[in-house]
Amino acid sequence: MNDRLRGAAGPAGARAGDPPAGRGKDGVDMLANWTGDRRHFGGGLLSRFWERVRGSRHRLLMLDYDGTLAPFRLERSQAQIPPATHAVLRRIVAGGATRVAIVSGRQIPELERLLGPLAADLVGEHGWERRSAGGRLTRRRLPAEVMQRLERAARVARASGWGARLERKRCSLVLHTRGLPPEAARELEFECERLWRTYFECDTLRLHRIHGGVTLRASGHHKGSAVAQLVADSPPGTLAVYLGDDAADEDAFVQILDRGVPIRVGGLDRPSVAPFHLGSPDDVRAFLERWEAVTVDAARAAAPADRRSA
């Protein structure tokens, strides 16, 4: 099983993109545990991770959508989860051994359309809205002044000629630059950031760089607070694992760093607090397949013991 899970360099003094020292028997990149200022995920630590998954009575698996489950696409509406990934995700949810949550910046109706029928928790707009696995939708109230400020920022962006690349959500505004030549994308992001930071950013509205763009987002709720709520709603001792690829996922990583397992997806070209790493959405599929195999095996092993104690 090639799950390609390995350690990622941390934010302090990290050297991104260091080459692996070798490859393990399961295709896992084998790296030294501690070498100077780098922390790397070696074979022994990998084995302990899967043993922890196997031995946990309760599991909470949280995943970002874009760049984690689904590869990035120029047209966001076409960012579909690959069929093999979708199939194993559905099986994990249906198996009942793991509580699954999708944590995204997308809005809930959009996630429902992309995911189809899936009895998982959905977190949308970075925590501003949530749909339970049973289908109950909760939306947090957005202050009127924040809504007005977002609308003014949108009008200014359209007047600047950026309307075709602008996405207006309930709690945020996004300027997408994916598909532009790199230099043009950098220039547009710089101009947008300068404009929004100067005239619209405040305590209740924060500016963020994202993969392929810039976003102006309501503060007060974020992926970290959403993850904290999901963990709080879970039984004591639940193993919490979070997979994400973007800067917005760092809040989630921080939230579970001392009580779960954060895993960053994507290249090693930028720092992350997550100590573990998967290279791409294709590696996420392999990770989910391994997760399914381990949890199914654990359930089978536990069944005879449960019958004996009955």
Side-chain angles (χ1 to χ4, degrees), residues 159-183:
S160 300
W162 306 335
R165 295 190 168 273
L166 203 63
E167 180 186 8
R168 177 71 162 92
K169 304 180 186 179
R170 186 175 72 96
C171 303
S172 64
L173 189 62
V174 186
L175 181 75
H176 296 284
T177 60
R178 190 166 287 112
L180 287 174
E183 185 61 30

Side-chain angles (χ1 to χ4, degrees), residues 202-272:
C202 59
D203 289 343
T204 56
L205 206 57
R206 307 303 297 178
L207 188 73
H208 304 272
R209 283 289 187 105
I210 60 172
H211 278 308
V214 182
T215 182
L216 191 64
R217 188 167 70 233
S219 58
H221 298 286
H222 48 72
K223 289 187 175 184
S225 59
V227 163
Q229 187 62 57
L230 288 166
V231 172
D233 292 344
S234 301
T238 294
L239 171 63
V241 177
Y242 186 97
L243 278 69
D245 73 294
D246 205 352
D249 296 303
E250 295 296 324
D251 291 325
F253 295 156
V254 169
Q255 188 59 230
I256 67 165
L257 197 57
D258 62 346
R259 50 180 162 171
V261 182
I263 303 171
R264 194 172 76 78
V265 180
L268 291 171
D269 56 335
R270 62 178 176 82
S272 173

Side-chain angles (χ1 to χ4, degrees), residues 48-281:
R48 289 196 294 275
F49 168 76
W50 288 118
E51 284 304 314
R52 190 176 174 192
V53 173
R54 183 189 304 274
S56 295
R57 185 175 179 85
H58 303 286
R59 308 173 187 91
L60 172 61
L61 179 59
M62 300 167 283
L63 305 108
D64 175 41
Y65 186 86
D66 292 281
T68 299
L69 282 170
F72 288 113
R73 292 288 183 265
L74 182 57
E75 294 294 333
R76 281 171 49 82
S77 61
Q78 297 176 8
Q80 302 282 343
I81 302 178
T85 305
H86 210 165
V88 68
L89 182 66
R90 288 177 180 276
R91 292 196 301 269
I92 291 171
V93 171
T98 302
R99 180 187 179 192
V100 174
I102 310 301
V103 183
S104 176
R106 291 180 183 260
Q107 296 174 298
I108 294 293
E110 192 176 15
L111 284 175
E112 290 177 325
R113 177 182 63 80
L114 290 166
L115 290 165
L118 188 72
D121 291 273
L122 303 183
V123 174
E125 291 241 40
H126 299 91
W128 281 92
E129 54 188 32
R130 178 175 168 183
R131 194 213 70 182
S132 70
R136 182 169 179 248
L137 181 63
T138 304
R139 280 185 173 153
R140 300 181 184 275
R141 188 184 70 84
L142 188 68
E145 61 270 20
V146 175
M147 294 180 64
Q148 294 165 4
R149 202 173 186 92
L150 280 170
E151 188 52 45
R152 289 198 299 272
R155 287 200 300 267
V156 170
R158 293 188 193 101
S160 300
W162 306 335
R165 295 190 168 273
L166 203 63
E167 180 186 8
R168 177 71 162 92
K169 304 180 186 179
R170 186 175 72 96
C171 303
S172 64
L173 189 62
V174 186
L175 181 75
H176 296 284
T177 60
R178 190 166 287 112
L180 287 174
E183 185 61 30
R186 285 192 293 270
E187 290 178 3
L188 181 54
E189 289 166 5
F190 175 81
E191 287 301 318
C192 180
E193 183 175 357
R194 182 186 60 80
L195 183 66
W196 284 352
R197 191 180 298 282
T198 301
Y199 296 105
F200 299 105
E201 188 178 33
C202 59
D203 289 343
T204 56
L205 206 57
R206 307 303 297 178
L207 188 73
H208 304 272
R209 283 289 187 105
I210 60 172
H211 278 308
V214 182
T215 182
L216 191 64
R217 188 167 70 233
S219 58
H221 298 286
H222 48 72
K223 289 187 175 184
S225 59
V227 163
Q229 187 62 57
L230 288 166
V231 172
D233 292 344
S234 301
T238 294
L239 171 63
V241 177
Y242 186 97
L243 278 69
D245 73 294
D246 205 352
D249 296 303
E250 295 296 324
D251 291 325
F253 295 156
V254 169
Q255 188 59 230
I256 67 165
L257 197 57
D258 62 346
R259 50 180 162 171
V261 182
I263 303 171
R264 194 172 76 78
V265 180
L268 291 171
D269 56 335
R270 62 178 176 82
S272 173
V273 299
F276 306 145
H277 170 255
L278 287 164
S280 70

